[in-house]
Structures are given as C-alpha cells and as structure tokens.
Amino acid sequence: MASLWSSVKAHPLRWVLVLFIASELATFALLARQGVHELGRSVQGWDLLQWLAVLGLAALCGWLAWHWRALWRGAGCTYGGLVQGRDRTGRPGILVVLPDGRSAVARVESSWALGELALVLALEPVTGHSPRVLVVSRVLVGASALRALRRTLRAAQRDCLATGEAS
C-alpha cells in the first residue's frame, strides 16, 4: 500500500487521468448496456441518426481500446523544457522526459490550448520514442516554463504563416 501511495504522490496528474478515463469507460459501459437493451426492443423503428450515434459510440470505444497503451504512455511523460534551435519549418524542439527517466526530443506538429488548464501538443519524434500526444499542465510545469513554451509556439506559428509553410 505504501508503494501505491508513493506512486500517487509522485504522479498525481496521471492518477487523475486514470480516474477520469475509468469514469468515462464506466459511463460508456452503462450507455452501451442501455443501447443494447433499446436495440433489442426497438431496432426496427430506429432512424439513421440513432444508428449513427450507436456506431459513433462503438467506434470511440474501439479507438480508446486500440490506443490505450499510447494514451497511458503519453500520460506518464512530462515536459522537460525547450531544446535550442528549430527545424526548417520553424517548429520548436522540446525535451520529453519519459516515465523511466530517459529523455527524448520531439518537434511540435500542432498545439491546442485548454485555457489556463493545460496545453496539448501533437508531437513528431526526433530522437527516442516520445509520445504522439503530450499534455503540458500547470500542475507539473512551472508557470514561467509554460509561458515560455506558449510564446515559442506562437512565434513559430507566426513564422510559418509569414513564410507560407504549413506547420
């Protein structure tokens, strides 16, 4: 029990993500159960929109099951800082600290800001095996480091727009 508690203290965001995904999967299971029940009762009366909703839910569950390992691995990685220099498209390099302590360098393909909560980065590996998606949160990264990363991303986007290249 002590090792579980030390793991929770060491990686609180990872455990929050685990609880969130577990609750989402429980919700999906309940929705699927209800859907199967309704399907058995009135499948002949369904219109196209109901079929699309069921197929979309099944596709989402399948996608989560297929990508579970990559999502879990991405949740265990943390942002380690900016790497000096940029590639030819102006994308900044970032240092990703893997769960086992090793480091990898990745280039940012695109980014999405989740307000003041977090920054989601789609990554392209340069060295090592960095995750495909990385969530940079204020909980795990200092506010100044997060501001520097956001400034660098904005500058890279402006440079790409100015030169007419896609980022």
Side-chain angles (χ1 to χ4, degrees), residues 79-115:
Y79 168 70
L82 291 171
V83 176
Q84 295 294 2
R86 298 181 184 178
D87 64 5
R88 63 176 180 76
T89 62
R91 293 178 294 177
I94 65 165
L95 184 66
V96 179
V97 180
L98 304 174
D100 60 2
R102 292 180 297 130
S103 297
V105 176
R107 299 284 184 209
V108 178
E109 282 187 357
S110 58
S111 62
W112 302 273
L114 302 177

Side-chain angles (χ1 to χ4, degrees), residues 11-131:
H11 303 286
L13 189 61
R14 180 182 236 182
W15 288 102
V16 168
L17 181 64
V18 166
L19 291 175
F20 175 74
I21 290 176
S23 67
E24 288 292 319
L25 290 176
T27 303
F28 287 146
L30 291 173
L31 285 172
R33 180 181 171 271
Q34 182 67 26
V36 168
H37 180 70
E38 290 294 324
L39 180 66
R41 284 187 15 200
S42 63
V43 72
Q44 291 84 11
W46 279 21
D47 61 357
L48 179 63
L49 198 56
Q50 289 171 316
W51 279 109
L52 288 176
V54 168
L55 290 175
L57 180 64
L60 180 62
C61 289
W63 185 87
L64 280 173
W66 185 262
H67 292 89
W68 177 254
R69 289 180 58 117
L71 294 172
W72 180 258
R73 187 166 179 263
C77 297
T78 57
Y79 168 70
L82 291 171
V83 176
Q84 295 294 2
R86 298 181 184 178
D87 64 5
R88 63 176 180 76
T89 62
R91 293 178 294 177
I94 65 165
L95 184 66
V96 179
V97 180
L98 304 174
D100 60 2
R102 292 180 297 130
S103 297
V105 176
R107 299 284 184 209
V108 178
E109 282 187 357
S110 58
S111 62
W112 302 273
L114 302 177
E116 291 298 316
L117 295 176
L119 183 66
V120 179
L121 304 176
L123 300 178
E124 171 188 316
V126 174
T127 63
H129 298 288
S130 59

Side-chain angles (χ1 to χ4, degrees), residues 123-167:
L123 300 178
E124 171 188 316
V126 174
T127 63
H129 298 288
S130 59
R132 178 76 177 104
V133 175
L134 181 66
V135 179
V136 182
S137 171
R138 287 187 348 171
V139 174
L140 298 175
V141 176
S144 61
L146 189 56
R147 278 193 304 273
L149 177 61
R150 285 184 173 156
R151 275 195 311 269
T152 304
L153 290 173
R154 282 193 299 269
Q157 288 171 346
R158 281 193 305 269
D159 291 345
C160 289
L161 289 175
T163 60
E165 294 182 17
S167 62

